[in-house]
Amino acid sequence: MLQNIFDTHSHYDDEAFDEDREELLTKVLPEGGVVRVVDCAVDLLTSVKVLDIAHEYDMVYAALGYHPEQAADERKGDLDVIAELLEKEEKAVAVGEIGLDYHWEDNAPRETQVDLFSRQLALSKDLGLPVIIHDRDAHGDTMECLQKYRPSGVLHCFSGSVEMMREATKLGIYIGLGGVVTFKNARKAVEVAAEVPLEYLVLETDAPYMAPTPFRGKRNNSTYIAYVAEKIAEVRGMEPQKLIDICNENGKRLFQMTD
Ligand SMILES: [Zn+2]
């Protein structure tokens, strides 16, 4: 069985886990080889919830921030509270998840999203923390913001081309890959998996979403990263355990974890 799995992107605060969160985080994940998880907030309310979970479970770390799909809900002062929490809470390791989502028609206007993203990129620089970036159908503006602010961080669930991956890693940005690489129609993600410099690759679930084949459409959890690792290792012609070990070290470097 594969060991030493670091899930760099999850949402265990989601209600999909209300029934068995305790059992998952104390039993199922550790017994499935998972050693570390970063749980990502999407607004102020989830930031508080994610922190609670990080305090309760050793293996869980917190990313606090405002997701682009929540941009319209931002109230004055929300980011100040998030900034305070990021500053004082030891288990808060990143600003996330933040970014741009031009996929859904009913999301906030692009200018609103870019403004919120920009303020959080600036915040990450002030605090010396990495960012966890959500980029859906917004590659051009995302790269423009990264060029402008030069944060450290990761493009989660990376959906760009090999060329964009090269541009991002040149800026020192990590590439997060998850369940999508196992999907039948995942030509682009598989190309990126084959080409990404190994020192910039991290693994993730986005649980409860994005479960890999053969669990596609079901609730995801961090133990399923084994399937993602097997697929990427196969594409690269290496041992899955070796890949997981390298990605674990990458994740620790990305989130400035010393132990
Ligand atoms: Zn997410």
Side-chain angles (χ1 to χ4, degrees), residues 9-11 40 42 67 97 132 134 156 204 206-207 209:
H9 192 112
S10 65
H11 299 277
C40 301
V42 297
H67 193 287
E97 74 178 275
I132 297 177
H134 171 104
H156 119 80
E204 62 169 59
D206 208 11
Y209 312 107

Side-chain angles (χ1 to χ4, degrees), residues 7-259:
D7 183 354
T8 59
H9 192 112
S10 65
H11 299 277
Y12 283 103
D13 53 295
D14 193 282
E15 63 184 11
F17 296 111
D18 279 354
E19 245 175 51
D20 56 353
R21 184 176 296 111
E22 165 95 24
E23 198 199 348
L24 275 166
L25 294 173
T26 58
K27 244 179 92 98
V28 177
L29 265 52
E31 285 171 9
V34 180
V35 293
R36 209 177 289 245
V37 165
V38 173
D39 199 350
C40 301
V42 297
D43 57 15
L44 178 55
L45 201 74
T46 49
S47 288
V48 173
K49 201 169 169 192
V50 163
L51 262 180
D52 279 347
I53 294 172
H55 287 146
E56 192 164 346
Y57 304 99
D58 261 5
M59 69 151 63
V60 180
Y61 291 79
L64 313 183
Y66 241 98
H67 193 287
E69 282 177 66
Q70 264 63 39
D73 302 336
E74 189 201 2
R75 288 160 310 172
K76 207 171 169 345
D78 280 359
L79 270 199
D80 297 330
V81 179
I82 288 175
E84 266 172 51
L85 292 171
L86 282 163
E87 198 161 27
K88 78 164 196 245
E89 295 289 346
E90 242 170 70
K91 289 202 89 180
V93 294
V95 183
E97 74 178 275
I98 66 175
L100 302 171
D101 192 317
Y102 298 166
H103 184 74
W104 304 108
E105 290 265 329
D106 53 356
N107 279 354
R110 294 181 179 198
E111 310 80 66
T112 309
Q113 293 191 38
V114 170
D115 172 65
L116 174 61
F117 186 32
S118 300
R119 282 183 282 129
Q120 294 184 96
L121 287 170
L123 175 63
S124 84
K125 299 285 285 192
D126 286 348
L127 296 173
L129 290 173
V131 289
I132 297 177
I133 304 155
H134 171 104
D135 157 27
R136 190 160 187 204
D137 298 344
H139 300 327
D141 285 358
T142 297
M143 288 309 295
E144 210 171 287
C145 289
L146 294 182
Q147 298 275 9
K148 185 171 168 194
Y149 288 93
R150 298 294 181 111
S152 65
V154 55
L155 279 162
H156 119 80
C157 195
F158 184 79
S159 58
S161 62
V162 168
E163 291 68 36
M164 180 180 165
M165 175 275 288
R166 293 218 170 95
E167 240 182 280
T169 53
K170 259 188 219 136
L171 292 173
I173 297 292
Y174 289 73
I175 302 296
L177 293 178
V180 172
V181 299
T182 68
F183 296 171
K184 258 209 181 106
N185 52 354
R187 190 183 52 84
K188 226 165 46 165
V190 170
E191 277 173 20
V192 169
E195 298 290 330
V196 60
L198 215 41
E199 66 269 30
Y200 283 110
L201 175 63
V202 292
L203 303 176
E204 62 169 59
T205 53
D206 208 11
Y209 312 107
M210 292 292 184
T213 306
F215 305 106
R216 189 171 181 178
K218 303 223 166 74
R219 189 183 73 169
N220 202 357
N221 76 64
S222 308
T223 65
Y224 295 169
I225 279 184
Y227 295 86
V228 174
E230 266 161 21
K231 175 66 186 188
I232 298 174
E234 179 198 315
V235 169
R236 300 186 71 106
M238 62 188 291
E239 286 299 317
Q241 187 59 61
K242 175 86 182 152
L243 179 86
I244 285 175
D245 291 342
I246 292 170
C247 290
N248 184 319
E249 287 306 314
N250 293 345
K252 283 160 75 172
R253 196 165 61 248
L254 163 63
F255 295 114
Q256 306 164 5
M257 294 164 168
T258 45
D259 59 329

